[in-house]
Amino acid sequence: MAKPKAAAHRAEQPVHHTRTPFIAIDVPSGRVIEQRDATRTWYPASITKLMTVYVALQAVRQGRLAMDTPLVVSARAASMKPSKMGFAPGSQITLDNALKMLMVKSANDMAVTIAEGVSGSVEAFADEMNEAASSLGMRESHFVNPNGLPDPNHVSSARDMAVLGRALLLRFPEHADLFNIGAMKLGEQVIPTHNGMLGRYPGADGMKTGYTCPAGFNLVASATREGRKVIVVVLGDPSARKRTARAANVFDHAFASGQFGDPAIDLPSQAGPPPDMRGEICVRRSKAAQLEAESEETGGTVQTTEGSAPQPSNGEIIAALPRPAYKPIEVFVGPAPDYTGPVAGPRPANTPIGVIAYAPPEKAAAVLPLRADPAALPMRRGKAAKHHAEAKSHPKHSVADNEKAAKAQKKPSAAAKGKAAKK
């Protein structure tokens, strides 16, 4: 009787909720408007792809490749987990199209395709990501891949991601439209953005969402209102809809505030490993639900009750709005028409683009016919099997005798030599 009571007591215990970080910064000055635990280490998930964009655009500015350079989809890229575009190994995608697919679809295969096209390998690209993070003052960040798929050594923080978002907007203003795409069209397929702020929150104009079970639902968002530009980062929310609602509320507070604090870059770091949100985020989600979880929920009516019950926040109302309708931008597979330049793909480190042509995975070697193991027992029954086993265990000739016999068979006899001489 004691055990059921103990189990019931455990079931009544409140579920622990991890305190989740957020930050709002003023883009022109880089100063903090509002924050909570902004330097706590966290798993970034797909907001990692903002750094992938940063390194790629930096490579373009350095003249290492161009936006119309075709990138080759490798077998490694094609093997990535969803979300992905699903192109076959050997396909070519221009850097421009790959970046758009990366931002809208959050395609993990495009992240690897970009990494291998820019740096030759995922590992070399990760080195460039970490060099860029260090140069920007992202002290909690360490990257091991270009897509944010879970890895215990792949970490960041809300502050670091706000610093990165600001750097993208200020250093590459000509590419700001990458972060404000509502939908893209590939052939007859229209793919909407995962960013629930776009088209819902007034002035929202970027940037990137992210989700994994260990990370929860993350968002780096930007918005412009009355000449002010603000970046908000929220990490670890339990759903896409709550992520949108919290970000909208933080934006409201930030735009209503006229007070700025210290530069975000000067916030002191917090020690400790990132929390694993799996128990809070995915414990009640099936595998299929986890795969679909990154898609922004389509909203619906906000439930309100009369009386003293609290009314929904502005963020909750915004998150419940129907999915906006966008005019999709066109993307395509293959090089641009009449392109004749080099093609970028996997290659050894420090090898220039176009020097080594991409070769698709080698075909499987021809299957050799199976040969029977001499020590194996045949599938025989009764006396025959017993006789065969005894013959195996008591051979009439030694191994040396067998070798002599084999040589003798190969060596022609004297009679045979004589006949050959007569001929």
Side-chain angles (χ1 to χ4, degrees), residues 72-307:
V72 177
V73 179
S74 69
R76 182 176 186 177
S79 72
M80 290 296 106
K81 295 180 179 180
S83 173
K84 63 181 179 179
M85 297 304 298
F87 301 134
S91 303
Q92 293 185 13
I93 315 292
T94 66
L95 175 60
D96 180 62
N97 282 319
L99 290 172
K100 290 171 180 173
M101 294 170 187
L102 187 74
M103 289 294 99
V104 178
K105 176 69 172 173
S106 198
N108 292 323
D109 52 353
M110 291 298 95
V112 172
T113 298
I114 292 167
E116 293 177 333
V118 170
S119 305
S121 70
V122 166
E123 292 73 22
F125 191 80
D127 289 341
E128 293 200 49
M129 296 172 79
N130 290 319
E131 289 173 8
S134 178
S135 70
L136 294 174
M138 298 169 62
R139 294 193 301 276
E140 290 81 51
S141 296
H142 183 264
F143 302 102
V144 300
N145 63 55
N147 44 36
L149 288 173
D151 186 289
N153 297 314
H154 190 99
V155 295
S156 190
S157 68
R159 184 274 305 275
D160 279 6
M161 281 297 162
V163 168
L164 173 59
R166 177 174 182 261
L168 280 165
L169 296 176
L170 295 183
R171 298 189 181 189
F172 305 104
E174 68 276 20
H175 296 293
D177 57 347
L178 279 173
F179 314 113
N180 192 25
I181 302 172
M184 66 181 184
K185 185 176 182 181
L186 177 63
E188 297 302 316
Q189 183 182 16
V190 176
I191 303 170
T193 180
H194 296 313
N195 189 346
M197 299 293 288
L198 297 179
R200 286 188 177 123
Y201 188 83
D205 49 22
M207 298 185 72
K208 185 73 187 74
T209 63
Y211 161 77
T212 62
C213 288
F217 289 81
N218 301 341
L219 172 65
V220 179
S222 61
T224 306
R225 188 183 293 179
E226 297 178 355
R228 290 184 61 191
K229 195 168 192 69
V230 172
I231 285 177
V232 164
V233 181
V234 294
L235 303 177
D237 280 302
S239 72
R241 185 161 166 171
K242 289 184 178 180
R243 171 180 67 191
T244 297
R246 185 157 74 114
N249 287 332
V250 175
F251 269 120
D252 283 348
H253 296 156
F255 282 119
S257 173
Q259 310 233 340
F260 297 160
D262 294 331
I265 201 72
D266 293 338
L267 289 176
S269 296
Q270 295 185 39
D276 188 334
M277 302 292 288
R278 190 181 309 273
E280 298 178 38
I281 302 299
C282 289
V283 69
R284 294 181 180 88
R285 281 189 171 95
S286 66
K287 291 293 184 183
Q290 290 174 29
L291 288 175
E292 295 296 328
E294 172 59 2
S295 297
E296 183 69 31
E297 297 171 24
T298 55
T301 303
V302 176
Q303 300 296 322
T304 60
T305 56
E306 297 181 0

Side-chain angles (χ1 to χ4, degrees), residues 7-82:
H9 177 71
R10 286 195 300 271
E12 292 171 1
Q13 293 296 315
V15 177
H16 173 70
H17 294 289
T18 302
R19 180 174 151 121
T20 52
F22 70 85
I23 190 171
I25 68 167
D26 174 66
V27 171
S29 68
R31 291 185 175 273
V32 177
I33 304 171
E34 186 178 6
Q35 68 95 13
R36 181 179 76 192
D37 296 336
T39 59
R40 183 179 185 181
T41 306
W42 208 267
Y43 294 120
S46 283
I47 59 176
T48 294
K49 289 161 184 162
L50 291 175
M51 180 55 84
T52 301
V53 175
Y54 185 92
V55 174
L57 294 180
Q58 184 173 255
V60 171
R61 182 162 290 179
Q62 292 168 348
R64 292 158 55 189
L65 76 171
M67 294 297 284
D68 63 349
T69 300
L71 313 178
V72 177
V73 179
S74 69
R76 182 176 186 177
S79 72
M80 290 296 106
K81 295 180 179 180

Side-chain angles (χ1 to χ4, degrees), residues 319-406:
L321 293 173
R323 185 187 292 277
Y326 305 102
K327 182 179 180 181
I329 64 164
E330 299 275 351
V331 293
F332 58 89
V333 180
D338 302 324
Y339 180 83
T340 58
V343 176
R347 59 195 184 279
N350 303 318
T351 302
I353 289 169
V355 170
I356 296 180
Y358 172 77
E362 294 180 2
K363 294 182 179 180
V367 178
L368 297 175
L370 293 175
R371 298 186 181 277
D373 185 346
L377 291 176
M379 296 295 289
R380 299 176 183 176
R381 297 181 182 275
K383 294 181 179 179
K386 183 178 180 182
H387 175 74
H388 185 83
E390 289 175 351
K392 286 286 184 180
S393 60
H394 301 288
K396 294 181 180 179
H397 302 284
S398 66
V399 173
D401 292 337
N402 290 336
E403 289 179 353
K404 288 180 181 179

